[in-house]
Amino acid sequence: MAKILSIQSTVLNDLVGNQAARSILKPLKHNLIEVPTIILTSHKGQKSSLQIHSNELNISKIFNNVRFTYGIKKSDLTIIGYLPSKNSTKHISHIMKTQRNILLDPVIGDIGVGMYVNSDIAKYFQSIFTKTKYLSANFFEWSFLNKKDISQYPFLEVVNDLKKFSSENNSIVLIRSIPKKNKLINLLASPKGAWSIKTPEIKFKTRYHGAGDLSTALFAHYLTQKISEKKILESLTNDIFQIISKKRKKNKFKSTSLSSL
Protein backbone atom coordinates (compact mmCIF):
# COMPACT_ATOMS: atom_id res chain seq x y z
CA MET A 1 0.00 0.00 0.00
CA ALA A 2 0.98 3.67 -0.05
CA LYS A 3 3.53 5.51 2.04
CA ILE A 4 1.69 8.34 3.82
CA LEU A 5 3.20 11.12 5.92
CA SER A 6 0.92 12.45 8.68
CA ILE A 7 1.84 15.84 10.17
CA GLN A 8 -0.72 16.42 12.92
CA SER A 9 -1.10 16.57 16.69
CA THR A 10 0.13 13.66 18.77
CA VAL A 11 -2.45 13.21 21.53
CA LEU A 12 -1.69 10.50 24.04
CA ASN A 13 -5.17 9.63 25.29
CA ASP A 14 -7.69 10.49 22.57
CA LEU A 15 -8.35 9.23 19.03
CA VAL A 16 -7.52 12.41 17.13
CA GLY A 17 -4.72 13.74 14.92
CA ASN A 18 -1.95 11.25 14.21
CA GLN A 19 -3.66 8.63 16.37
CA ALA A 20 -6.79 8.85 14.25
CA ALA A 21 -4.70 8.47 11.10
CA ARG A 22 -2.89 5.50 12.60
CA SER A 23 -6.13 3.78 13.66
CA ILE A 24 -7.44 3.96 10.08
CA LEU A 25 -4.35 3.64 7.90
CA LYS A 26 -2.26 1.04 9.74
CA PRO A 27 -4.94 -1.72 9.59
CA LEU A 28 -5.26 -0.95 5.87
CA LYS A 29 -1.52 -1.77 5.55
CA HIS A 30 -0.35 1.71 4.62
CA ASN A 31 3.19 2.67 5.58
CA LEU A 32 2.34 5.57 7.90
CA ILE A 33 5.07 7.94 9.09
CA GLU A 34 4.07 10.44 11.76
CA VAL A 35 5.39 13.91 12.57
CA PRO A 36 3.92 15.71 15.61
CA THR A 37 2.93 19.36 15.40
CA ILE A 38 2.26 19.30 19.14
CA ILE A 39 2.22 16.68 21.91
CA LEU A 40 -0.73 16.63 24.32
CA THR A 41 -1.84 14.27 27.07
CA SER A 42 -5.42 14.47 25.80
CA HIS A 43 -7.64 16.38 23.37
CA LYS A 44 -7.74 20.13 24.03
CA GLY A 45 -11.47 19.77 24.60
CA GLN A 46 -10.57 18.08 27.89
CA LYS A 47 -10.03 20.65 30.63
CA SER A 48 -7.22 18.63 32.21
CA SER A 49 -5.24 18.39 28.95
CA LEU A 50 -1.51 18.98 29.43
CA GLN A 51 0.52 20.38 26.56
CA ILE A 52 4.00 18.97 26.20
CA HIS A 53 6.16 21.10 23.92
CA SER A 54 5.01 24.07 21.92
CA ASN A 55 7.52 26.42 20.32
CA GLU A 56 10.32 24.12 21.43
CA LEU A 57 9.06 21.34 19.12
CA ASN A 58 11.13 21.63 15.93
CA ILE A 59 8.72 20.24 13.34
CA SER A 60 11.11 20.90 10.45
CA LYS A 61 13.92 18.96 12.13
CA ILE A 62 11.66 15.99 12.79
CA PHE A 63 10.35 16.13 9.22
CA ASN A 64 13.85 16.25 7.74
CA ASN A 65 14.92 13.34 9.90
CA VAL A 66 12.00 11.06 9.01
CA ARG A 67 12.26 12.08 5.37
CA PHE A 68 15.85 10.81 5.30
CA THR A 69 15.25 7.80 7.55
CA TYR A 70 12.17 6.48 5.75
CA GLY A 71 12.94 7.62 2.21
CA ILE A 72 9.94 9.93 1.87
CA LYS A 73 9.47 11.24 -1.66
CA LYS A 74 8.01 14.56 -2.79
CA SER A 75 5.12 12.64 -4.35
CA ASP A 76 4.17 10.73 -1.18
CA LEU A 77 0.74 11.73 0.12
CA THR A 78 1.20 14.13 3.04
CA ILE A 79 -1.56 14.97 5.53
CA ILE A 80 -1.26 18.33 7.27
CA GLY A 81 -3.63 18.89 10.18
CA TYR A 82 -3.73 20.70 13.53
CA LEU A 83 -1.24 23.52 14.08
CA PRO A 84 -0.79 24.91 17.60
CA SER A 85 1.05 28.21 17.12
CA LYS A 86 2.32 30.82 14.69
CA ASN A 87 5.78 29.33 15.09
CA SER A 88 4.50 26.00 13.75
CA THR A 89 3.30 27.66 10.53
CA LYS A 90 6.90 28.50 9.60
CA HIS A 91 7.76 24.80 9.71
CA ILE A 92 4.72 23.89 7.60
CA SER A 93 5.69 26.46 4.97
CA HIS A 94 9.13 24.82 4.84
CA ILE A 95 7.58 21.38 4.42
CA MET A 96 5.20 22.58 1.70
CA LYS A 97 8.19 23.66 -0.39
CA THR A 98 9.23 20.00 -0.48
CA GLN A 99 6.06 17.92 -0.39
CA ARG A 100 3.84 18.36 -3.46
CA ASN A 101 1.06 15.86 -2.80
CA ILE A 102 -0.63 17.48 0.20
CA LEU A 103 -3.98 16.69 1.81
CA LEU A 104 -4.81 19.67 4.02
CA ASP A 105 -7.18 19.36 6.97
CA PRO A 106 -7.46 22.99 8.15
CA VAL A 107 -8.35 22.50 11.80
CA ILE A 108 -9.99 25.82 12.65
CA GLY A 109 -13.33 25.25 14.39
CA ASP A 110 -16.82 23.84 14.07
CA ILE A 111 -20.49 24.72 14.27
CA GLY A 112 -21.69 24.99 17.87
CA VAL A 113 -18.15 25.57 19.13
CA GLY A 114 -16.80 28.38 17.00
CA MET A 115 -13.12 28.87 16.32
CA TYR A 116 -10.76 26.85 18.51
CA VAL A 117 -7.42 28.05 17.18
CA ASN A 118 -6.00 31.55 17.42
CA SER A 119 -6.48 34.02 14.58
CA ASP A 120 -2.88 33.66 13.34
CA ILE A 121 -3.41 29.95 12.67
CA ALA A 122 -6.83 30.48 11.07
CA LYS A 123 -5.44 33.18 8.75
CA TYR A 124 -2.47 30.96 7.89
CA PHE A 125 -4.79 28.16 6.76
CA GLN A 126 -6.69 30.78 4.76
CA SER A 127 -3.46 31.74 3.01
CA ILE A 128 -2.38 28.21 2.01
CA PHE A 129 -5.57 26.26 1.30
CA THR A 130 -5.51 27.05 -2.43
CA LYS A 131 -1.97 25.66 -2.69
CA THR A 132 -2.78 22.08 -1.76
CA LYS A 133 -3.85 19.22 -4.02
CA TYR A 134 -6.52 17.86 -1.66
CA LEU A 135 -8.67 19.53 0.98
CA SER A 136 -10.77 18.00 3.77
CA ALA A 137 -12.74 20.54 5.79
CA ASN A 138 -15.97 20.76 7.76
CA PHE A 139 -18.64 23.30 6.80
CA PHE A 140 -17.49 25.84 9.39
CA GLU A 141 -13.90 25.65 8.12
CA TRP A 142 -14.86 25.82 4.44
CA SER A 143 -16.98 28.91 5.17
CA PHE A 144 -14.15 30.61 7.03
CA LEU A 145 -11.60 29.84 4.33
CA ASN A 146 -13.93 31.40 1.74
CA LYS A 147 -14.83 34.35 3.99
CA LYS A 148 -18.51 33.36 4.13
CA ASP A 149 -20.99 33.54 7.01
CA ILE A 150 -22.27 30.04 7.85
CA SER A 151 -25.71 31.48 8.72
CA GLN A 152 -25.99 33.10 5.27
CA TYR A 153 -24.43 30.54 3.00
CA PRO A 154 -27.13 28.77 0.95
CA PHE A 155 -26.48 25.18 -0.09
CA LEU A 156 -26.53 25.94 -3.81
CA GLU A 157 -23.93 28.67 -3.30
CA VAL A 158 -21.74 26.21 -1.37
CA VAL A 159 -21.97 23.75 -4.25
CA ASN A 160 -21.13 26.38 -6.85
CA ASP A 161 -18.20 27.70 -4.81
CA LEU A 162 -16.90 24.18 -4.35
CA LYS A 163 -17.12 23.34 -8.04
CA LYS A 164 -15.44 26.60 -9.01
CA PHE A 165 -12.64 26.15 -6.47
CA SER A 166 -11.95 22.58 -7.52
CA SER A 167 -11.86 23.49 -11.20
CA GLU A 168 -9.67 26.58 -10.78
CA ASN A 169 -7.17 24.85 -8.47
CA ASN A 170 -7.26 21.40 -10.10
CA SER A 171 -7.98 19.87 -6.71
CA ILE A 172 -10.20 17.29 -5.04
CA VAL A 173 -12.15 18.77 -2.14
CA LEU A 174 -14.21 17.09 0.59
CA ILE A 175 -16.57 19.26 2.64
CA ARG A 176 -18.01 17.45 5.66
CA SER A 177 -21.14 17.82 7.77
CA ILE A 178 -23.17 20.54 6.09
CA PRO A 179 -26.39 20.79 8.16
CA LYS A 180 -29.63 20.70 6.17
CA LYS A 181 -33.08 19.80 7.54
CA ASN A 182 -31.90 17.54 10.39
CA LYS A 183 -29.49 15.78 8.03
CA LEU A 184 -25.79 16.15 7.37
CA ILE A 185 -24.46 16.43 3.85
CA ASN A 186 -20.96 15.63 2.62
CA LEU A 187 -19.83 17.17 -0.65
CA LEU A 188 -16.94 16.13 -2.86
CA ALA A 189 -15.77 17.95 -5.96
CA SER A 190 -13.02 17.50 -8.51
CA PRO A 191 -12.47 18.92 -12.00
CA LYS A 192 -14.52 15.93 -13.20
CA GLY A 193 -17.67 16.91 -11.31
CA ALA A 194 -19.34 17.22 -7.91
CA TRP A 195 -21.34 14.81 -5.73
CA SER A 196 -23.32 14.97 -2.48
CA ILE A 197 -24.33 12.36 0.04
CA LYS A 198 -26.83 12.71 2.90
CA THR A 199 -26.73 10.97 6.29
CA PRO A 200 -28.80 11.20 9.48
CA GLU A 201 -27.46 13.57 12.12
CA ILE A 202 -26.37 11.60 15.19
CA LYS A 203 -27.25 13.31 18.48
CA PHE A 204 -24.36 12.70 20.87
CA LYS A 205 -24.72 13.35 24.61
CA THR A 206 -21.22 14.81 24.61
CA ARG A 207 -19.24 16.18 21.70
CA TYR A 208 -17.54 13.54 19.54
CA HIS A 209 -13.87 14.43 19.15
CA GLY A 210 -11.97 13.18 16.13
CA ALA A 211 -14.65 12.55 13.51
CA GLY A 212 -13.00 15.02 11.14
CA ASP A 213 -9.54 13.48 11.62
CA LEU A 214 -10.91 9.99 11.03
CA SER A 215 -12.72 11.22 7.89
CA THR A 216 -9.51 12.78 6.59
CA ALA A 217 -7.62 9.53 7.19
CA LEU A 218 -10.27 7.62 5.24
CA PHE A 219 -10.08 10.25 2.50
CA ALA A 220 -6.32 9.70 2.34
CA HIS A 221 -6.82 5.95 2.03
CA TYR A 222 -9.36 6.17 -0.78
CA LEU A 223 -7.27 8.74 -2.66
CA THR A 224 -4.60 6.07 -2.97
CA GLN A 225 -7.07 3.62 -4.51
CA LYS A 226 -7.94 3.51 -8.21
CA ILE A 227 -11.60 4.42 -7.77
CA SER A 228 -13.81 7.30 -8.93
CA GLU A 229 -14.47 10.43 -6.87
CA LYS A 230 -18.11 9.32 -6.55
CA LYS A 231 -16.95 6.03 -5.03
CA ILE A 232 -14.51 7.83 -2.72
CA LEU A 233 -17.35 9.91 -1.28
CA GLU A 234 -19.65 6.92 -0.82
CA SER A 235 -16.99 4.70 0.71
CA LEU A 236 -15.62 7.16 3.25
CA THR A 237 -19.10 8.37 4.26
CA ASN A 238 -20.32 4.84 4.85
CA ASP A 239 -17.15 4.00 6.77
CA ILE A 240 -17.19 7.04 9.05
CA PHE A 241 -20.91 6.72 9.75
CA GLN A 242 -20.37 3.11 10.80
CA ILE A 243 -17.48 4.13 13.08
CA ILE A 244 -19.19 6.99 14.90
CA SER A 245 -22.63 5.33 15.09
CA LYS A 246 -21.00 2.07 16.28
CA LYS A 247 -23.24 0.01 14.02
CA ARG A 248 -22.18 -3.50 13.06
CA LYS A 249 -23.53 -3.29 9.53
CA LYS A 250 -22.79 -0.52 7.08
CA ASN A 251 -25.52 1.71 5.79
CA LYS A 252 -25.35 1.92 2.03
CA PHE A 253 -25.56 5.64 1.42
CA LYS A 254 -25.53 6.59 -2.24
CA SER A 255 -24.27 9.87 -3.65
CA THR A 256 -26.03 12.23 -6.03
CA SER A 257 -24.32 14.03 -8.90
CA LEU A 258 -24.40 17.82 -8.67
CA SER A 259 -22.84 18.44 -12.06
CA SER A 260 -26.08 19.84 -13.49
CA LEU A 261 -26.53 22.44 -10.74
Side-chain angles (χ1 to χ4, degrees), residues 69-86:
T69 302
Y70 297 102
I72 295 168
K73 299 177 181 178
K74 292 181 180 181
S75 59
D76 287 331
L77 184 59
T78 300
I79 302 170
I80 294 177
Y82 177 78
L83 302 178
S85 64
K86 187 174 182 179

mmCIF file of all heavy atoms in Angstrom, residues 69-86:
data_model
loop_
_atom_site.group_PDB
_atom_site.id
_atom_site.type_symbol
_atom_site.label_atom_id
_atom_site.label_comp_id
_atom_site.label_asym_id
_atom_site.label_seq_id
_atom_site.Cartn_x
_atom_site.Cartn_y
_atom_site.Cartn_z
ATOM 1 N N THR A 69 15.277 9.144 6.964
ATOM 2 C CA THR A 69 15.252 7.801 7.555
ATOM 3 C C THR A 69 14.345 6.856 6.781
ATOM 4 O O THR A 69 14.694 5.689 6.550
ATOM 5 C CB THR A 69 14.795 7.875 9.025
ATOM 6 O OG1 THR A 69 15.677 8.741 9.748
ATOM 7 C CG2 THR A 69 14.808 6.487 9.673
ATOM 8 N N TYR A 70 13.170 7.348 6.378
ATOM 9 C CA TYR A 70 12.170 6.479 5.754
ATOM 10 C C TYR A 70 12.049 6.679 4.240
ATOM 11 O O TYR A 70 11.156 6.115 3.614
ATOM 12 C CB TYR A 70 10.809 6.685 6.422
ATOM 13 C CG TYR A 70 10.824 6.304 7.887
ATOM 14 C CD1 TYR A 70 10.896 7.277 8.876
ATOM 15 C CD2 TYR A 70 10.806 4.969 8.276
ATOM 16 C CE1 TYR A 70 10.941 6.933 10.221
ATOM 17 C CE2 TYR A 70 10.846 4.612 9.624
ATOM 18 C CZ TYR A 70 10.918 5.599 10.581
ATOM 19 O OH TYR A 70 10.962 5.264 11.917
ATOM 20 N N GLY A 71 12.937 7.463 3.669
ATOM 21 C CA GLY A 71 12.943 7.619 2.215
ATOM 22 C C GLY A 71 11.675 8.234 1.659
ATOM 23 O O GLY A 71 11.154 7.790 0.635
ATOM 24 N N ILE A 72 11.174 9.271 2.321
ATOM 25 C CA ILE A 72 9.942 9.927 1.868
ATOM 26 C C ILE A 72 10.213 10.715 0.594
ATOM 27 O O ILE A 72 11.187 11.466 0.503
ATOM 28 C CB ILE A 72 9.389 10.847 2.973
ATOM 29 C CG1 ILE A 72 8.977 10.007 4.177
ATOM 30 C CG2 ILE A 72 8.209 11.667 2.469
ATOM 31 C CD1 ILE A 72 8.682 10.821 5.409
ATOM 32 N N LYS A 73 9.338 10.546 -0.385
ATOM 33 C CA LYS A 73 9.473 11.242 -1.659
ATOM 34 C C LYS A 73 8.545 12.459 -1.712
ATOM 35 O O LYS A 73 7.565 12.537 -0.969
ATOM 36 C CB LYS A 73 9.135 10.292 -2.808
ATOM 37 C CG LYS A 73 10.046 9.079 -2.895
ATOM 38 C CD LYS A 73 9.591 8.147 -4.012
ATOM 39 C CE LYS A 73 10.481 6.908 -4.086
ATOM 40 N NZ LYS A 73 10.002 5.969 -5.151
ATOM 41 N N LYS A 74 8.849 13.372 -2.615
ATOM 42 C CA LYS A 74 8.007 14.557 -2.789
ATOM 43 C C LYS A 74 6.579 14.178 -3.160
ATOM 44 O O LYS A 74 5.636 14.880 -2.828
ATOM 45 C CB LYS A 74 8.592 15.459 -3.877
ATOM 46 C CG LYS A 74 9.909 16.116 -3.516
ATOM 47 C CD LYS A 74 10.393 17.009 -4.641
ATOM 48 C CE LYS A 74 11.714 17.680 -4.282
ATOM 49 N NZ LYS A 74 12.186 18.577 -5.368
ATOM 50 N N SER A 75 6.433 13.064 -3.863
ATOM 51 C CA SER A 75 5.123 12.645 -4.353
ATOM 52 C C SER A 75 4.312 11.857 -3.327
ATOM 53 O O SER A 75 3.139 11.569 -3.567
ATOM 54 C CB SER A 75 5.293 11.794 -5.610
ATOM 55 O OG SER A 75 6.096 10.648 -5.331
ATOM 56 N N ASP A 76 4.902 11.500 -2.186
ATOM 57 C CA ASP A 76 4.169 10.735 -1.179
ATOM 58 C C ASP A 76 3.053 11.597 -0.578
ATOM 59 O O ASP A 76 3.277 12.769 -0.249
ATOM 60 C CB ASP A 76 5.105 10.255 -0.065
ATOM 61 C CG ASP A 76 6.010 9.123 -0.519
ATOM 62 O OD1 ASP A 76 5.588 8.353 -1.412
ATOM 63 O OD2 ASP A 76 7.135 8.998 0.007
ATOM 64 N N LEU A 77 1.884 11.001 -0.434
ATOM 65 C CA LEU A 77 0.740 11.725 0.124
ATOM 66 C C LEU A 77 1.069 12.212 1.532
ATOM 67 O O LEU A 77 1.525 11.447 2.380
ATOM 68 C CB LEU A 77 -0.491 10.815 0.155
ATOM 69 C CG LEU A 77 -1.802 11.464 0.624
ATOM 70 C CD1 LEU A 77 -2.187 12.636 -0.268
ATOM 71 C CD2 LEU A 77 -2.921 10.429 0.643
ATOM 72 N N THR A 78 0.848 13.503 1.767
ATOM 73 C CA THR A 78 1.197 14.126 3.039
ATOM 74 C C THR A 78 -0.023 14.812 3.639
ATOM 75 O O THR A 78 -0.579 15.739 3.043
ATOM 76 C CB THR A 78 2.322 15.163 2.848
ATOM 77 O OG1 THR A 78 3.471 14.508 2.310
ATOM 78 C CG2 THR A 78 2.689 15.830 4.160
ATOM 79 N N ILE A 79 -0.451 14.349 4.809
ATOM 80 C CA ILE A 79 -1.564 14.967 5.528
ATOM 81 C C ILE A 79 -1.011 16.067 6.431
ATOM 82 O O ILE A 79 -0.076 15.838 7.191
ATOM 83 C CB ILE A 79 -2.322 13.937 6.391
ATOM 84 C CG1 ILE A 79 -2.865 12.789 5.535
ATOM 85 C CG2 ILE A 79 -3.458 14.616 7.157
ATOM 86 C CD1 ILE A 79 -3.413 11.626 6.362
ATOM 87 N N ILE A 80 -1.601 17.253 6.344
ATOM 88 C CA ILE A 80 -1.260 18.332 7.270
ATOM 89 C C ILE A 80 -2.526 18.707 8.020
ATOM 90 O O ILE A 80 -3.540 19.050 7.410
ATOM 91 C CB ILE A 80 -0.684 19.553 6.534
ATOM 92 C CG1 ILE A 80 0.670 19.198 5.908
ATOM 93 C CG2 ILE A 80 -0.529 20.741 7.492
ATOM 94 C CD1 ILE A 80 1.289 20.319 5.098
ATOM 95 N N GLY A 81 -2.453 18.632 9.350
ATOM 96 C CA GLY A 81 -3.631 18.890 10.177
ATOM 97 C C GLY A 81 -3.397 19.984 11.206
ATOM 98 O O GLY A 81 -2.908 21.066 10.878
ATOM 99 N N TYR A 82 -3.708 19.692 12.449
ATOM 100 C CA TYR A 82 -3.729 20.698 13.526
ATOM 101 C C TYR A 82 -2.376 21.381 13.717
ATOM 102 O O TYR A 82 -1.335 20.733 13.800
ATOM 103 C CB TYR A 82 -4.150 20.035 14.837
ATOM 104 C CG TYR A 82 -4.135 20.982 16.018
ATOM 105 C CD1 TYR A 82 -5.173 21.889 16.206
ATOM 106 C CD2 TYR A 82 -3.083 20.970 16.934
ATOM 107 C CE1 TYR A 82 -5.161 22.769 17.279
ATOM 108 C CE2 TYR A 82 -3.063 21.844 18.016
ATOM 109 C CZ TYR A 82 -4.104 22.738 18.186
ATOM 110 O OH TYR A 82 -4.089 23.606 19.244
ATOM 111 N N LEU A 83 -2.426 22.714 13.798
ATOM 112 C CA LEU A 83 -1.240 23.525 14.078
ATOM 113 C C LEU A 83 -1.482 24.328 15.349
ATOM 114 O O LEU A 83 -2.527 24.968 15.487
ATOM 115 C CB LEU A 83 -0.952 24.474 12.915
ATOM 116 C CG LEU A 83 -0.725 23.818 11.546
ATOM 117 C CD1 LEU A 83 -0.495 24.887 10.485
ATOM 118 C CD2 LEU A 83 0.445 22.855 11.600
ATOM 119 N N PRO A 84 -0.535 24.309 16.298
ATOM 120 C CA PRO A 84 -0.794 24.915 17.602
ATOM 121 C C PRO A 84 -0.394 26.375 17.753
ATOM 122 O O PRO A 84 -0.856 27.052 18.666
ATOM 123 C CB PRO A 84 0.066 24.055 18.535
ATOM 124 C CG PRO A 84 1.242 23.671 17.681
ATOM 125 C CD PRO A 84 0.692 23.510 16.281
ATOM 126 N N SER A 85 0.497 26.880 16.887
ATOM 127 C CA SER A 85 1.049 28.211 17.124
ATOM 128 C C SER A 85 1.549 28.827 15.826
ATOM 129 O O SER A 85 1.744 28.139 14.817
ATOM 130 C CB SER A 85 2.221 28.125 18.109
ATOM 131 O OG SER A 85 3.280 27.369 17.527
ATOM 132 N N LYS A 86 1.776 30.130 15.859
ATOM 133 C CA LYS A 86 2.320 30.825 14.692
ATOM 134 C C LYS A 86 3.690 30.268 14.336
ATOM 135 O O LYS A 86 4.048 30.168 13.155
ATOM 136 C CB LYS A 86 2.395 32.318 14.955
ATOM 137 C CG LYS A 86 2.792 33.132 13.733
ATOM 138 C CD LYS A 86 2.726 34.624 13.997
ATOM 139 C CE LYS A 86 3.087 35.420 12.741
ATOM 140 N NZ LYS A 86 2.990 36.883 12.983
#
